[in-house]
Amino acid sequence: MKPVKVGLLGLGTVGTGVVRIVEGHQEDLQSQVGSPIVIEKVLVQNKSKTRAINVSSDKLTEDPWEIVNNPEIDVIVEVMGGIETTKSYILEALSRGKHIVTANKDLMALHGPEILAKAQQHGCDVLYEASVAGGIPIIRTLIEGFSSDRITKIMGIVNGTTNYILTKMSQEGADYADVLKEAQALGYAEADPTSDVEGLDAARKMTILSTLGFRANIALDDVDVKGISSVSREDIAYAKRLGYEVKLLGIAERQDDYMSVSVQPTMVKKTHPIASVNGVFNAVYVYGEAVGETMFYGPGAGELPTATSVVADLVAVVKNLKLGVNGKQLGLTYKAKKLKTDEQIASKYYLLLHVDDRAGVLARITQAFAEYEVSLESVVQQPNPNHSEAEIIIITHDASKASVNKVLAAFESMDVVKSVKSVYRVEG
Amino acid sequence: MKPVKVGLLGLGTVGTGVVRIVEGHQEDLQSQVGSPIVIEKVLVQNKSKTRAINVSSDKLTEDPWEIVNNPEIDVIVEVMGGIETTKSYILEALSRGKHIVTANKDLMALHGPEILAKAQQHGCDVLYEASVAGGIPIIRTLIEGFSSDRITKIMGIVNGTTNYILTKMSQEGADYADVLKEAQALGYAEADPTSDVEGLDAARKMTILSTLGFRANIALDDVDVKGISSVSREDIAYAKRLGYEVKLLGIAERQDDYMSVSVQPTMVKKTHPIASVNGVFNAVYVYGEAVGETMFYGPGAGELPTATSVVADLVAVVKNLKLGVNGKQLGLTYKAKKLKTDEQIASKYYLLLHVDDRAGVLARITQAFAEYEVSLESVVQQPNPNHSEAEIIIITHDASKASVNKVLAAFESMDVVKSVKSVYRVEG
């Protein structure tokens, strides 16, 4: 049996995992696909660097074109990261008929449609299971597992760093800044944590998930993004008292073919399955019209979990090679993208206000909600022990984002409202 | 585009759901597969019966051979249940080159290898996602999502009836018999509940899951089965006090290519993700050497959830038809089945003993464990308020099933041990 030859772009954490699995599970892989899978060439930045695994030096190269242009190579596994340069390698490889497996969420969120179109043109596979939620096979679940259903909601904890921070804040009553420092020391957060904590990483993953779930090309710019850097210890304490956890959720919703996608800190009722997803774990909750509630849980990152998804894609490409059906992934997106307006985006909201502690204030506040037809599920007023102000905690019934924004604008011009401390979407 | 013609065997709950989804989602299905999917004929027991959905009477037939032998029909969807007769229809249909989608766990657990061999012989697909865990796409996850990994453990809550009963017992402190009656009244349990409550239904599903997870043909007879009918209110109360929930778990384990599969009431630590799966929901926890911990959660039964899986399989068959690659599911099982002996099956155990309340008893009890090299994690002795006996609650460290059985045999001949009230496996 002729071996299938793989070129590996990148030998960092995930690349190392890919080599380990392809070598360590070779016998199992051969039993499934019927021929050896060989890593032929590996692109590295520095050939002479000491590495965690042993790769014979004649397989290493610092020249990407030795892989991209190599007629011996059937499949390219891209785990080097980066966007523009990486894209140029992938497009060139596709034009030479090579199949692609990538873990690159940035690339797929920004240039997915272009890359997939190029792949189709050349009869090539492009698979990217590892780009979202590491070891959880959520992409094939959306494409194949729910092919028969109409998915109306996807809620994801798709960033382990922020889930670790929020979990620690919740479990230890700690401050955001302290937990972030700790996460950086442990290697769970980067020195520049912006992409994680401001929700950009999650937004890229939600772009990919919502595109597959709704079968429409959602763009990164369509995602409304808010991170966790303003979540306070008090927010989490209040949430817990009311029976909620604060989670950074990616939320994609569809109603009558109108779609919305956002990333935002959200108060999730403790009884909801996604509320108990803790630490660096990821989970994706999927609601389908027919299937109802489902959830998929697992490690969102890490060498071997992510490599598991990469190599599962590699197995799929090789099976397609054997069957001669590469590049035939039919009907991934066929719906027109119609985005919801703020009038159409509805959810429950939690608000924490600091107000003047005098007669008639609560009446004026609740009147503002009534004016914009936002009805209230619960209202608690309590003295704020540290100030002369009172605190008002409000949970609304389902209300449109537009209406809530109008209420917030009204508060700006009300002198009795000292500050709007927090506004969170509520789920569950 | 030539329509793909489907013959439906059975128009009960799931069959009705299949018709609803194929008709209601027709446009989406066509967009994915490129041609209409038409339900051509439906086998029913009584054509003149009133039904929840409108199927034109010329499509109904009481004669299975009108479908099985029908040259017009490309795919047969079997949702009628039953074993021997149903198997004869399926084998006949396969011999005529028809592809099969089935939701029949009994059939696949008992005759899966024979049916799959026949399918391969005739170049046909046999897909059975709906046979386990209703709407959760766990079968394609095991086959494709984790194709690169070595799965070492599968733990499933795969029977909704028993999970409903145990959840109610836990939440309400109710007795088994009372909750069973209630579940029967609500339609969650059958008039004869044996197959569910004695674990047979779960054992069939674990046969299918372990075969796919371990890539070896596990037979139903290989599964060690114990149901929930002996689980008492006290067991659950004690478990909760210690931080556990009692769940009916299917547990498949593999170590060094040696496998074991069981179904049994198990004490699961509350922090384990599967402990909070409540009511009629199902969940399958999968541990892979590379991926680590994952869990898949969703509805285990019901008209539309189960039909979602059936129609997803139908979509897969039709895509294969378009690509001309039916019957090519490679390498599903290739491992030799090697079953663990009782000496090789290891876990923690919980034991509740009633003993004479006098000096030296605890020493004799713990001596019995020591003799068979079962070490203890915790021991609590307390007076039993209703008797002159004391209660001893023991949780062991990991111990072999053989050793624990020897300890239990030793207790039989110890006059100070009045009774062994409960023995449960412990997870998490």
Side-chain angles (χ1 to χ4, degrees):
Chain A
M1 297 163 293
K2 191 165 154 276
V4 173
K5 292 188 179 172
V6 177
L8 184 61
L9 302 180
L11 193 55
T13 305
V14 179
T16 302
V18 170
V19 174
R20 280 194 220 275
I21 292 181
V22 169
E23 291 181 351
H25 295 185
Q26 183 63 221
E27 201 183 320
D28 278 280
L29 298 177
Q30 283 194 35
S31 302
Q32 289 179 68
V33 301
S35 49
I37 296 179
V38 175
I39 294 179
E40 183 78 3
K41 277 279 174 198
V42 183
L43 177 68
V44 293
Q45 283 185 304
N46 177 355
K47 279 178 70 167
S48 49
K49 189 177 148 187
T50 317
R51 301 181 185 280
I53 43 163
N54 207 3
V55 177
S56 82
S57 67
D58 60 320
K59 291 199 167 183
L60 299 180
T61 174
E62 294 173 11
D63 175 8
W65 305 104
E66 258 195 70
I67 294 174
V68 174
N69 291 343
N70 190 330
E72 292 284 297
I73 284 174
D74 307 293
V75 189
I76 288 185
V77 171
E78 185 274 300
V79 288
M80 62 189 279
I83 299 178
E84 292 307 329
T85 310
T86 312
K87 181 183 147 196
S88 70
Y89 299 162
I90 285 179
L91 292 179
E92 177 66 19
L94 287 170
S95 74
R96 289 167 183 273
K98 299 189 194 313
H99 310 289
I100 307 288
V101 173
T102 175
N104 194 326
K105 64 187 170 291
D106 305 335
L107 185 67
M108 292 310 294
L110 288 168
H111 303 296
E114 182 186 348
I115 289 170
L116 294 171
K118 183 88 169 181
Q120 193 163 33
Q121 189 189 331
H122 293 277
C124 293
D125 287 336
V126 174
L127 299 184
Y128 46 102
E129 183 64 75
S131 67
V132 181
I136 310 173
I138 186 64
I139 288 182
R140 36 174 56 73
T141 294
L142 290 176
I143 295 175
E144 291 163 27
F146 294 139
S147 60
S148 58
D149 205 356
R150 266 200 292 265
I151 292 168
T152 53
K153 190 165 192 171
I154 302 172
M155 293 204 296
I157 293 178
V158 288
N159 180 273
T161 305
T162 48
N163 202 49
Y164 173 84
I165 293 172
L166 292 172
T167 301
K168 275 279 186 181
M169 287 175 73
S170 171
Q171 288 174 347
E172 299 173 2
D175 272 323
Y176 169 77
D178 296 336
V179 179
L180 172 60
K181 258 182 229 153
E182 194 191 316
Q184 285 170 320
L186 288 167
Y188 291 161
E190 315 230 4
D192 176 359
T194 314
S195 166
D196 289 323
V197 301
E198 297 307 344
L200 308 176
D201 174 83
R204 287 167 176 172
K205 292 164 177 168
M206 289 308 297
T207 305
I208 296 171
L209 292 184
S210 56
T211 292
L212 294 172
F214 298 159
R215 317 269 172 185
N217 282 314
I218 304 290
L220 183 55
D221 282 345
D222 301 327
V223 186
D224 190 22
V225 188
K226 196 181 160 209
I228 66 162
S229 56
S230 64
V231 175
S232 70
R233 184 164 66 170
E234 288 71 30
D235 285 334
I236 290 179
Y238 277 45
K240 287 179 83 164
R241 228 171 56 197
L242 295 165
Y244 293 88
E245 295 286 351
V246 177
K247 294 290 180 190
L248 183 69
L249 290 192
I251 303 179
E253 289 177 299
R254 173 163 65 161
Q255 221 173 357
D256 303 332
D257 280 344
Y258 284 87
M259 304 153 192
S260 68
V261 188
S262 64
V263 171
Q264 61 195 299
T266 306
M267 283 178 45
V268 187
K269 202 150 219 168
K270 280 183 183 161
T271 48
H272 193 284
I274 212 165
S276 49
V277 174
N278 286 326
V280 295
F281 274 91
N282 279 198
V284 181
Y285 168 96
V286 179
Y287 192 93
E289 276 181 8
V291 75
E293 293 193 281
T294 62
M295 196 175 84
F296 306 90
Y297 168 95
E303 177 188 315
L304 290 175
T306 309
T308 299
S309 286
V310 171
V311 182
D313 276 352
L314 184 55
V315 167
V317 169
V318 176
K319 283 184 178 174
N320 286 344
L321 270 172
K322 296 278 155 178
L323 299 175
V325 293
N326 300 91
K328 305 281 186 195
Q329 202 160 29
L330 308 160
L332 280 189
T333 58
Y334 50 83
K335 288 266 187 199
K337 177 174 79 180
K338 296 183 200 165
L339 294 176
K340 286 189 185 186
T341 62
D342 281 0
E343 281 73 24
Q344 291 172 299
I345 298 175
S347 76
K348 292 162 79 170
Y349 283 88
Y350 160 97
L351 296 95
L352 172 60
L353 313 177
H354 281 194
V355 298
D356 269 349
D357 195 358
R358 56 184 163 93
V361 172
L362 189 57
R364 288 188 57 191
I365 301 280
T366 52
Q367 177 55 33
F369 284 98
E371 196 168 320
Y372 297 106
E373 297 188 335
V374 176
S375 66
L376 306 181
E377 180 183 294
S378 66
V379 180
V380 176
Q381 178 171 346
Q382 58 188 21
N384 177 336
N386 306 316
H387 306 81
S388 63
E389 298 162 354
E391 287 185 341
I392 297 181
I393 296 163
I394 288 166
I395 295 181
T396 72
H397 285 298
D398 272 347
S400 80
K401 190 175 166 185
S403 299
V404 171
N405 282 340
K406 282 179 196 158
V407 174
L408 292 171
F411 288 161
E412 299 244 328
S413 58
M414 283 168 65
D415 57 352
V416 297
V417 176
K418 293 307 168 192
S419 62
V420 177
K421 302 297 283 185
S422 311
V423 181
Y424 292 119
R425 184 177 165 127
V426 176
E427 285 290 336
Chain B
M1 293 163 299
K2 192 166 154 275
V4 173
K5 294 190 177 169
V6 177
L8 183 61
L9 302 180
L11 193 55
T13 304
V14 179
T16 302
V18 170
V19 174
R20 279 195 221 277
I21 292 181
V22 169
E23 290 181 352
H25 295 185
Q26 183 63 220
E27 202 183 319
D28 279 279
L29 298 177
Q30 284 194 34
S31 301
Q32 291 179 66
V33 302
S35 48
I37 298 179
V38 176
I39 295 178
E40 183 78 3
K41 277 279 173 196
V42 183
L43 176 68
V44 294
Q45 283 185 304
N46 177 355
K47 278 178 73 166
S48 49
K49 189 177 149 187
T50 317
R51 300 180 187 282
I53 45 163
N54 207 1
V55 177
S56 80
S57 66
D58 60 320
K59 292 197 167 184
L60 299 180
T61 174
E62 294 174 11
D63 175 10
W65 304 104
E66 257 194 72
I67 294 174
V68 173
N69 291 343
N70 190 331
E72 292 283 298
I73 285 173
D74 307 294
V75 189
I76 287 184
V77 171
E78 185 275 300
V79 289
M80 60 188 280
I83 299 177
E84 293 306 329
T85 309
T86 311
K87 180 181 149 197
S88 70
Y89 299 161
I90 285 180
L91 292 178
E92 177 67 19
L94 287 170
S95 76
R96 290 167 183 272
K98 300 189 194 313
H99 310 290
I100 307 289
V101 173
T102 175
N104 193 328
K105 63 187 174 291
D106 304 334
L107 186 66
M108 292 309 294
L110 288 166
H111 302 296
E114 181 185 349
I115 289 169
L116 294 170
K118 183 87 170 183
Q120 192 162 34
Q121 188 190 332
H122 293 277
C124 293
D125 287 336
V126 173
L127 300 183
Y128 47 101
E129 183 65 76
S131 66
V132 181
I136 310 172
I138 187 64
I139 287 181
R140 36 173 57 72
T141 295
L142 291 175
I143 296 175
E144 292 163 27
F146 294 140
S147 60
S148 59
D149 205 357
R150 265 200 292 264
I151 291 168
T152 53
K153 190 164 190 171
I154 302 172
M155 292 204 296
I157 293 179
V158 288
N159 179 275
T161 304
T162 47
N163 203 49
Y164 173 86
I165 293 172
L166 292 172
T167 301
K168 276 280 188 182
M169 288 175 72
S170 172
Q171 289 174 348
E172 300 174 2
D175 273 323
Y176 168 76
D178 295 335
V179 180
L180 172 59
K181 257 181 230 154
E182 193 191 316
Q184 286 170 318
L186 288 166
Y188 292 160
E190 315 230 5
D192 175 0
T194 314
S195 165
D196 289 322
V197 301
E198 297 307 345
L200 308 176
D201 175 83
R204 287 168 177 170
K205 291 163 177 169
M206 289 308 298
T207 305
I208 295 170
L209 293 183
S210 56
T211 292
L212 294 172
F214 298 159
R215 316 267 170 185
N217 282 314
I218 304 290
L220 183 56
D221 282 346
D222 301 327
V223 186
D224 190 21
V225 188
K226 196 182 160 209
I228 66 163
S229 57
S230 64
V231 175
S232 70
R233 183 163 68 169
E234 288 71 30
D235 285 334
I236 290 179
Y238 277 44
K240 287 179 82 164
R241 228 171 57 197
L242 296 165
Y244 293 87
E245 294 286 351
V246 177
K247 294 291 181 190
L248 182 68
L249 290 192
I251 303 178
E253 290 178 301
R254 173 165 64 162
Q255 221 174 357
D256 304 331
D257 281 344
Y258 284 87
M259 305 152 193
S260 67
V261 188
S262 64
V263 170
Q264 61 195 300
T266 306
M267 282 178 47
V268 186
K269 203 152 217 168
K270 279 183 184 162
T271 49
H272 192 286
I274 213 164
S276 50
V277 174
N278 286 326
V280 294
F281 275 91
N282 279 197
V284 181
Y285 169 96
V286 179
Y287 192 94
E289 274 181 10
V291 76
E293 290 193 285
T294 63
M295 195 175 82
F296 306 89
Y297 168 94
E303 177 189 315
L304 290 174
T306 310
T308 299
S309 287
V310 170
V311 183
D313 276 353
L314 184 55
V315 167
V317 169
V318 176
K319 284 184 178 174
N320 286 345
L321 270 172
K322 297 277 156 179
L323 299 174
V325 293
N326 300 91
K328 304 281 186 195
Q329 202 160 29
L330 309 158
L332 278 190
T333 57
Y334 49 82
K335 289 265 188 198
K337 177 174 80 179
K338 297 182 198 163
L339 294 176
K340 286 188 184 186
T341 62
D342 281 0
E343 280 73 24
Q344 291 172 299
I345 297 174
S347 77
K348 292 162 77 170
Y349 284 87
Y350 160 97
L351 296 94
L352 172 61
L353 313 177
H354 281 194
V355 299
D356 269 350
D357 196 359
R358 57 184 164 92
V361 171
L362 188 57
R364 289 187 59 192
I365 300 280
T366 52
Q367 177 54 34
F369 284 98
E371 195 168 322
Y372 297 107
E373 295 189 336
V374 176
S375 66
L376 305 181
E377 181 184 293
S378 66
V379 180
V380 176
Q381 177 170 347
Q382 59 188 19
N384 178 336
N386 307 315
H387 303 84
S388 62
E389 298 163 355
E391 286 184 344
I392 297 181
I393 295 163
I394 289 167
I395 295 181
T396 72
H397 286 298
D398 271 347
S400 80
K401 188 174 168 186
S403 298
V404 172
N405 282 339
K406 283 179 194 156
V407 174
L408 292 171
F411 288 162
E412 299 244 328
S413 57
M414 283 168 67
D415 57 352
V416 296
V417 176
K418 293 306 167 193
S419 62
V420 177
K421 302 296 283 186
S422 311
V423 181
Y424 291 119
R425 183 175 167 131
V426 176
E427 285 289 337

